[in-house]
Amino acid sequence: AQKVTQAQTEISVVEKEDVTLDCVYETRDTTYYLFWYKQPPSGELVFLIRRNSFDEQNEISGRYSWNFQKSTSSFNFTITASQVVDSAVYFCALSEKTSYDKVIFGPGTSLSVIP
Amino acid sequence: DVKVTQSSRYLVKRTGEKVFLECVQDMDHENMFWYRQDPGLGLRLIYFSYDVKMKEKGDIPEGYSVSREKKERFSLILESASTNQTSMYLCASRFPDRGRTEAFFGQGTRLTVV
């Protein structure tokens, strides 16, 4: 069965610290897609990144970076030099090729960046 | 830019009322979704639709129904609202690209049933 686990419920960091949000997934498919979304206090989920199961290259986008490791079924998200605007709930999600209409979300990690 | 618009940000309804949550998207997406968000549980899929008048149950469809009469509009209906349906409801849409594409979300409707 497909499942997404985000073990960290809440994280607080002081501004400019680095922070890593963990995501572990379970799937039986060989083709699948992983996503990260950000939900700021305004409520609307914002797409951050997509990774397919055949591409294990890590990605960096500004202060954001993602580490995808199939061997450990993990897709972790790191924010470097955190800012107050990074305060949000972050969701990791999984979509399988065989059940592509469904996107399974993790429970989310609430990040608070303290000035 | 894709725009997904939910008709209300906040709603307060009484137990037993019939409640309609409306969602409209402007990017001609075939797939539309209704999720419910509760603390510690993430987003749980209630229903999704892959075409006009087509719908599929998600993981928690009990107590809900949906309607999709036009491609751009997807409505979630609470037939008889109950207090355990107090939650944040999120609508999303996406292209049917075998799981590849990201979903675009509305701003959410926070429903309180009293």
Side-chain angles (χ1 to χ4, degrees):
Chain A
Q2 38 175 193
K3 185 179 177 182
V4 177
T5 302
Q6 295 178 255
Q8 304 145 309
T9 306
E10 295 182 4
I11 301 176
S12 285
V13 298
V14 176
E15 201 170 20
K16 297 184 183 176
E17 285 185 352
D18 298 348
V19 58
T20 295
L21 309 182
D22 297 332
C23 173
V24 174
Y25 61 92
E26 292 178 30
T27 178
R28 293 178 182 171
D29 270 19
T30 55
T31 301
Y32 53 89
Y33 303 89
L34 296 163
F35 304 83
W36 274 96
Y37 287 84
K38 174 182 180 180
Q39 185 181 39
S42 60
E44 183 175 335
L45 269 78
V46 176
F47 164 75
L48 295 177
I49 192 172
R50 170 186 54 246
R51 262 286 171 268
N52 72 57
S53 52
F54 298 107
D55 181 4
E56 285 194 72
Q57 266 195 331
N58 291 329
E59 181 156 339
I60 299 173
S61 175
R63 295 183 297 107
Y64 294 172
S65 62
W66 290 269
N67 184 341
F68 175 32
Q69 292 194 342
K70 284 179 77 170
S71 60
T72 56
S73 297
S74 64
F75 185 41
N76 296 338
F77 173 30
T78 297
I79 302 174
T80 302
S82 59
Q83 300 176 1
V84 172
V85 293
D86 296 326
S87 296
V89 181
Y90 291 85
F91 290 97
C92 182
L94 165 69
S95 177
E96 295 172 330
K97 185 179 179 182
T98 54
S99 59
Y100 56 90
D101 289 311
K102 290 177 67 172
V103 180
I104 302 300
F105 285 83
T109 297
S110 178
L111 174 65
S112 297
V113 181
I114 304 163
Chain B
D1 275 357
V2 174
K3 190 92 174 157
V4 179
T5 304
Q6 295 182 228
S7 53
S8 304
R9 287 297 301 272
Y10 300 95
L11 274 179
V12 180
K13 297 292 181 180
R14 294 196 180 278
T15 301
E17 275 193 75
K18 191 169 186 176
V19 181
F20 293 86
L21 303 184
E22 307 285 348
C23 175
V24 177
Q25 50 96 3
D26 65 0
M27 278 301 289
D28 207 34
H29 286 164
E30 282 82 358
N31 290 0
M32 295 188 74
F33 307 81
W34 275 106
Y35 287 90
R36 171 176 171 160
Q37 181 181 3
D38 299 290
L41 296 177
L43 277 68
R44 293 179 292 167
L45 182 63
I46 305 172
Y47 267 98
F48 66 93
S49 168
Y50 50 91
D51 205 345
V52 175
K53 296 191 187 294
M54 307 302 283
K55 60 187 179 185
E56 292 287 339
K57 292 180 180 179
D59 299 317
I60 53 165
E62 297 78 20
Y64 304 94
S65 62
V66 291
S67 171
R68 191 155 180 213
E69 297 296 318
K70 293 185 178 182
K71 191 175 186 180
E72 68 270 18
R73 186 179 296 269
F74 191 35
S75 302
L76 179 69
I77 303 157
L78 286 65
E79 298 290 344
S80 177
S82 63
T83 53
N84 62 14
Q85 292 178 310
T86 292
S87 187
M88 170 75 96
Y89 291 89
L90 291 163
C91 175
S93 72
R94 78 196 255 204
F95 282 117
D97 193 15
R98 305 189 72 79
R100 288 192 200 99
T101 59
E102 69 272 24
F104 294 86
F105 283 83
Q107 77 276 31
T109 297
R110 189 167 293 280
L111 172 67
T112 302
V113 182
V114 298

